[in-house]
Amino acid sequence: MTQVTSGVQDTAIPGGGAGPDLRVDLAPHNARELILRNPILAASGTFGYGTEYSGLLDVQALGAIVSKGVTYRRRRGAPMPRIAETPAGMLNAIGLQNPGIKGVIAKYPPIWSRWAVPVIVNLAGDSVAEFAEMAAILDEVTGVAGLELNVSCPNVAAGGMFFGCDPDLAAEVTAAVRAATSLPVIVKLTPNVTDIVTIARAVVDAGADSLSLINTLLGMAIDTHRRRPVLGNLMGGLSGPATKPIAVRMVYQVAGAVEVPIIGLGGIATLEDALEFFMAGATAVQVGTATFANPVAMPTILDGLSQWLAREGFSSVREIIGLANERVLARAAEAQ
Amino acid sequence: MPQQFIARVVHADPVLPANTIVRLAVPAGVAAAAVPGQFLMLQSGGRDPLLPRPYSIMRATRAAREGGEEGTLDLLVFTGGRGGNHLAEARAGDPFPILGPLGNGYAIDGRMRRALLIAVGHGIAPIIALAESALARGVEVVMLVGAPTAASLLPLPLLPEEAEIIVATADGSRGHHGAVTDLVANYIEWTDAIYAYAPETTYVALRETLRGYRGARAIPPVQAAMERSMACGMGVCLGCVVETTSGLKTVCRDGPIFPLDALVLG
Ligand SMILES: Cc1cc2nc3c(=O)[nH]c(=O)nc-3n(C[C@H](O)[C@H](O)[C@H](O)COP(=O)(O)OP(=O)(O)OC[C@H]3O[C@@H](n4cnc5c(N)ncnc54)[C@H](O)[C@@H]3O)c2cc1C
Ligand SMILES: Cc1cc2nc3c(=O)[nH]c(=O)nc-3n(C[C@H](O)[C@H](O)[C@H](O)COP(=O)(O)O)c2cc1C
Ligand code: FES
């Protein structure tokens, strides 16, 4: 059977109870580890800081939670309207409204540190220095299990160029964060590039423990009645089911090219969707927009995954990673 | 605390060409918890449209049933849009996944004796809920109801019987010819509080009327509902914010009801 990630076996936490083993390792080469009980994560910006949905679903049963994007200073965010529904998707331009890193640290890590579910903090810097500074601040904060770098934001210092669109800039951010913290570092890739594989390779070489993809696709909608763009920010990020085929394709390409674990996301709403990502080469998945349409989408996918694996005769979710991806399969065979 | 549950349609009654009242059977606890001004997010269950739609609770009841209690919630649905049509075309027994009740709802001060309620458009739905709740506590209620034409006004039997209802239509086809806010000045000295569910233009006019008051009484406090397109309803997406005197607030969680004084209107 294919074994793409190996850390879970090596660290040998005895597989708890009956049913397939759902554990995945998102930082196999990092001493601080990021081993999740299961591979279903809440995506950044769609689950707040983890506290908001606690009465509606068993938040502790998720694989991990990725926080709303945090910036160095507090941000007011974009002008309204900030969201627009589109066919099988939605556009958002929230503009990273958040209380800033100090505000977040004062409020949430004390809560997170009491939780069983790991919380990964999503960071959005205006400059390489800001990314590194935030990573250094979070390095010793109890309750923070890892970092996810949102390199889709514009680099103010470099004239607003997007970090994630340039392999050198993306690598520079990754290396700076790597040097500032020993926490597991996930780099979240933007799909708004010509060649995502080049960016993926660059950030892996710069020290990323794993990659998450994809962030939203840059899009736009026009209100024909008002004869103006719908969003206050004019353009916004497209998410939801409409984006899934693009996300699956990118996960497939990147998983074939790099050896670190891939966290797949983009339009996942059902078990079937999640399975596509695993088979394309993802080690874990994140669910975003689907939670808005159905707050219990994640627990439903998780239950379904467990049952599906058992029914199909798999003893671990790790056995299905890359099943539809020749390159991942070949690499796994070589490693045996 | 909001719940995620599956409601069943009891009946969907078209009451006007563009309005259907949908009665939903819901868990008794949901009906018991609902406060006037709160709303539900009605999900499409994976069909189109993708995002859930917010609907105000027009009436909440609880009834004893074999083996326990059941609740019902009535919604007033304006048809024409995709979500609205989907709901209005529902048949008895159809399941609807729902999240709610959501938002803060109107606050009723226990010492209040008289209340002026202002409803425009689908704002009549939560204002009916509020009127019934206030009347049940012995509060005297005057409702100012605004609509474009007489034909778009809900039939009288659907409105609370004990409330005094005063109508304003934009075309003058019934009641006062003009806006509901033209009538507010008559009640400033009468009422203890004002409750409104209307478009922002109404609030701007309301504020001007109140500021123009030169009488001896203190200006009554106003609680006003805001609306924004929504995605999550839980305060996480930050897609539904409004500007207030204490910064940005989410309509879905911090609202939809705000003190009029706190709103920075565009
Ligand atoms: C807190 C709250 C309570 C509401 N209560 C009721 C109610 O009791 N009865 C009722 O009929 N409607 C109510 N609405 C409005 C209802 O949710 C909208 O009519 C609905 O979102 C439009 O959806 P649709 O699918 O019918 O139309 P669509 O086909 O989706 O859209 C029609 C147009 O309306 C716009 N739109 C979408 N959402 C909103 C919105 N929230 N406000 C204004 N425009 C919007 C769309 O952008 C589109 O241009 C409420 C809205 C809010 C925010
Ligand atoms: C309202 C909203 C806010 C988001 N905020 C962030 C954010 O702060 N940081 C980030 O990296 N991604 C953010 N995203 C992107 C999501 O995390 C995710 O990459 C994207 O929505 C695709 O997944 P989905 O189709 O499952 O939603 C946001 C998405 C939405 C819809
Ligand atoms: S609808 Fe998401 S924050 Fe209000």
Side-chain angles (χ1 to χ4, degrees), chain A residues 76-83 93-95 230-234, chain B residues 239 241 248:
Chain A
R76 226 186 106 73
M80 290 288 283
R82 292 177 169 185
I83 53 176
I94 307 299
V230 174
L231 297 174
N233 188 52
L234 311 183
Chain B
V241 296
L248 294 175

Side-chain angles (χ1 to χ4, degrees), chain A residues 107-171:
Chain A
K107 189 156 175 199
Y108 297 106
I111 301 172
W112 298 337
S113 64
R114 298 195 297 269
W115 286 1
V117 61
V119 178
I120 295 162
V121 176
N122 180 285
L123 295 180
D126 273 348
S127 62
V128 173
E130 266 192 18
F131 269 109
E133 175 71 23
M134 288 194 284
I137 293 171
L138 290 172
D139 183 64
E140 290 294 329
V141 176
T142 333
V144 176
L147 306 179
E148 182 180 66
L149 310 185
N150 174 5
V151 292
S152 313
C153 46
N155 178 358
V156 173
M161 174 160 190
F162 297 96
F163 291 103
C165 296
D166 179 87
D168 297 335
L169 260 182

Side-chain angles (χ1 to χ4, degrees), chain A residues 42-46 66-70 82-83 90-94 96 122-124 148-152 188 213-216 237-241 243-244 265-269 286-290 292, chain B residues 231 236-239:
Chain A
S44 178
T46 64
V66 185
S67 80
K68 169 73 191 158
V70 179
R82 292 177 169 185
I83 53 176
M90 69 178 278
L91 288 167
N92 87 79
I94 307 299
L96 290 168
N122 180 285
L123 295 180
E148 182 180 66
L149 310 185
N150 174 5
V151 292
S152 313
K188 183 169 181 180
L213 58 145
I214 58 176
N215 211 316
T216 53
L238 181 66
S239 64
T243 67
K244 191 187 70 173
L265 75 155
I268 298 175
Q286 293 182 11
V287 177
T289 304
F292 302 157
Chain B
V236 306
C237 76
L238 305 178

Side-chain angles (χ1 to χ4, degrees), chain B residues 31-45:
Chain B
V35 173
Q38 284 192 306
F39 64 96
L40 306 173
M41 285 293 254
L42 274 89
Q43 301 148 6
S44 67

Side-chain angles (χ1 to χ4, degrees), chain A residues 205-217:
Chain A
D205 289 346
D209 288 300
S210 45
L211 305 176
S212 54
L213 58 145
I214 58 176
N215 211 316
T216 53
L217 287 134

